[in-house]
Amino acid sequence: MGMPKRVAIFVSGTGSLLEAMIPQKDELGIVLVLADRPCRGLEIARAAGIETELAERTDFNPKRFDAERDAYTLRILQILIGCQIDLVAMAGFMTILHRVIFERGFKGRILNTHPALLPMFKGNHVVLDAILAGVKVTGCTVHVATEVRDEGPILAQKAVDVLPNDTVETLWERIKVVERVLYPKTILEYAATLK
Ligand code: GRF
């Protein structure tokens, strides 16, 4: 066993995946929770005594955020370097990072969990898309993030049945129940492979 890896969790929302990891936070090596907006995820981290960082996107001009994505991403990179982070796990993080973060040390060091069976249903409202498509089975995917959104090597997947009366809410919650187990397990396995 090498040194435990220093893990940062990135959140934007309710943070229920983060919450599910709190009992295992030391084993997982979670030393930082970073958010791009004020959110419940930050509160969960504070309550658990984990260091937090709020890198607010609204500090950057929202009308031309695309032009400032690299500057915003570099600010996040500075935070990660300052905290000596080895591995990032995005858990409902809603900002697409600029490729500069992969070019400067984090290639293969950012994981994501996605509420569909990639490569099916990429994007922002994939639980709704799965219902509208009438698929009988969807699920979740843990993958290595790359500069192309919702792509990158798949590490783990689990199927979830779509039930006849499912709404986005009911289906997404059943997917999250699976993610809350699969994600921390996969993070641990992946971290153990890192130098
Ligand atoms: C998860 O379903 C994840 O796949 C997606 O965002 C959701 C995060 O949920 N990227 P929560 O904010 O942790 O409850």
Side-chain angles (χ1 to χ4, degrees):
M1 284 276 281
M3 287 276 287
K5 297 298 179 299
R6 293 175 62 82
V7 175
I9 309 291
F10 283 15
V11 294
S12 303
T14 53
S16 75
L17 299 189
L18 168 66
E19 195 169 26
M21 294 184 218
I22 296 294
Q24 270 178 284
K25 74 178 164 71
D26 295 333
E27 189 190 357
L28 284 161
I30 301 173
V31 292
L32 175 70
V33 170
L34 180 145
D36 61 355
R37 64 198 75 186
C39 61
R40 182 172 169 267
L42 280 181
E43 290 164 29
I44 289 167
R46 285 190 200 110
I50 300 169
E51 190 181 326
T52 59
E53 282 280 354
L54 175 58
E56 275 216 73
R57 270 178 63 150
T58 49
D59 294 355
F60 293 80
N61 187 339
K63 290 206 187 87
R64 38 187 299 273
F65 186 73
D66 255 338
E68 301 193 351
R69 195 178 300 279
D70 54 344
Y72 178 76
T73 303
L74 284 172
R75 176 166 154 201
I76 288 181
L77 185 60
Q78 278 319 112
I79 294 169
L80 297 180
I81 292 168
C83 287
Q84 298 181 285
I85 296 299
D86 300 302
L87 179 66
V88 170
M90 299 194 282
F93 189 63
M94 296 298 291
T95 297
I96 297 167
L97 297 171
H98 189 273
R99 62 182 148 72
V100 69
I101 201 161
F102 301 104
E103 292 164 356
R104 302 206 189 168
F106 279 85
K107 184 171 190 284
R109 288 180 179 267
I110 304 182
L111 304 184
N112 186 41
T113 178
H114 180 80
L117 293 174
L118 289 173
M120 278 197 307
F121 303 119
K122 297 178 178 182
N124 242 335
H125 29 69
V126 300
V127 179
L128 176 63
D129 294 344
I131 290 172
L132 292 178
V135 295
K136 301 299 178 204
V137 177
T138 184
C140 58
T141 303
V142 179
H143 66 102
V144 181
T146 66
E147 57 181 87
V148 185
R149 184 181 184 192
D150 297 334
E151 289 203 12
I154 291 171
L155 300 175
Q157 289 185 307
K158 274 249 168 16
V160 173
D161 286 339
V162 182
L163 304 179
N165 294 320
D166 259 332
T167 61
V168 169
E169 219 178 24
T170 59
L171 178 55
W172 202 347
E173 180 53 29
R174 285 205 315 290
I175 294 171
K176 285 190 190 184
V177 167
V178 174
E179 289 183 286
R180 288 176 195 131
V181 178
L182 188 65
Y183 202 23
K185 177 175 178 281
T186 309
I187 293 169
L188 267 180
E189 287 168 3
Y190 189 77
T193 71
L194 290 176
K195 292 260 154 42

